[in-house]
Amino acid sequence: RQFAVAWLSSEFAFQVWCHSRLREANGPVSEANSCRLTSAERRQVFLRCTQQVPASSSNAAGIRSFIQGWFFNASLESLSREDVEDWLAWGLFLKRTDSLDASERCELAEYVDCLQCQAEASFPPRPEGQAEAPSMKPHFEPFSSGCEVSRL
């Protein structure tokens, strides 16, 4: 009986520790700990990413496939400009779009326009009432863990 109580106590303490670490990991990134890029560095990252996209049948098809991959293979026609802006703001600025200043918003608009041109696509404004398209943004997405007990 004492062994079971000790074992359960240690399991409980471990779960509390795990959840505290998850809460810390999902917290906001402080300015002191962030690795903000300069405008020139962001442009270089953006260009490297788009230049490294493998061209399937054409460069536009490769860029389209690249973008769709970040949006869980959603069709480009289903993506709004705000969806693409949110994704690029995460990837290049490590911020949400509503946290960007005026110069960063202008820079972001250039990247979205460039992607539209390269993908030969259009990202129209999100229609009212349309939900945000999910995209992969690991730093912003909450991480949850669930315990499953497997039965042997």
Side-chain angles (χ1 to χ4, degrees), residues 60 64 67 76-77 112-113 115-124:
R64 292 174 68 88
I67 296 168
L76 285 189
E77 292 73 25
V112 175
D113 293 342
L115 281 181
Q116 286 184 132
C117 182
Q118 290 180 346
E120 298 173 359
S122 174
F123 302 119

Side-chain angles (χ1 to χ4, degrees), residues 39 42 93 100-111:
S39 179
R42 280 191 296 270
F93 298 88
L100 298 174
D101 63 34
S103 65
E104 291 171 331
R105 286 181 191 271
C106 184
E107 184 181 345
L108 178 64
E110 290 176 22
Y111 296 135

Side-chain angles (χ1 to χ4, degrees), residues 13 49 65 133:
C49 287
S65 178

Side-chain angles (χ1 to χ4, degrees), residues 15-30 33 138-145:
Q15 286 298 318
V16 169
W17 179 80
C18 285
H19 284 285
S20 70
R21 298 294 296 161
L22 282 174
R23 196 171 26 257
E24 183 181 312
N26 284 328
V29 176
S30 69
N33 295 333
H139 293 96
F140 290 162
E141 304 303 325
F143 180 78
S144 61
S145 70

Side-chain angles (χ1 to χ4, degrees), residues 15-152:
Q15 286 298 318
V16 169
W17 179 80
C18 285
H19 284 285
S20 70
R21 298 294 296 161
L22 282 174
R23 196 171 26 257
E24 183 181 312
N26 284 328
V29 176
S30 69
E31 286 291 327
N33 295 333
S34 69
C35 305
R36 304 280 184 216
L37 299 175
T38 66
S39 179
E41 290 169 330
R42 280 191 296 270
R43 183 165 306 285
Q44 188 176 24
V45 167
F46 178 80
L47 292 174
R48 281 185 181 172
C49 287
T50 56
Q51 290 169 353
Q52 296 303 315
V53 171
S56 42
S57 56
S58 70
N59 189 46
I63 294 290
R64 292 174 68 88
S65 178
F66 174 73
I67 296 168
Q68 287 174 308
W70 280 95
F71 286 91
F72 302 103
N73 293 322
S75 69
L76 285 189
E77 292 73 25
S78 69
L79 301 179
S80 69
R81 184 172 185 93
E82 291 82 1
D83 295 327
V84 177
E85 286 175 347
D86 289 342
W87 166 59
L88 288 175
W90 164 79
L92 296 172
F93 298 88
L94 197 59
K95 294 182 179 180
R96 297 186 187 279
T97 51
D98 56 1
S99 300
L100 298 174
D101 63 34
S103 65
E104 291 171 331
R105 286 181 191 271
C106 184
E107 184 181 345
L108 178 64
E110 290 176 22
Y111 296 135
V112 175
D113 293 342
C114 184
L115 281 181
Q116 286 184 132
C117 182
Q118 290 180 346
E120 298 173 359
S122 174
F123 302 119
R126 182 181 297 136
E128 192 169 330
Q130 180 179 333
E132 178 183 332
S135 66
M136 291 186 244
K137 297 179 280 206
H139 293 96
F140 290 162
E141 304 303 325
F143 180 78
S144 61
S145 70
C147 296
E148 291 185 19
V149 177
S150 60
R151 299 183 189 258
L152 299 176

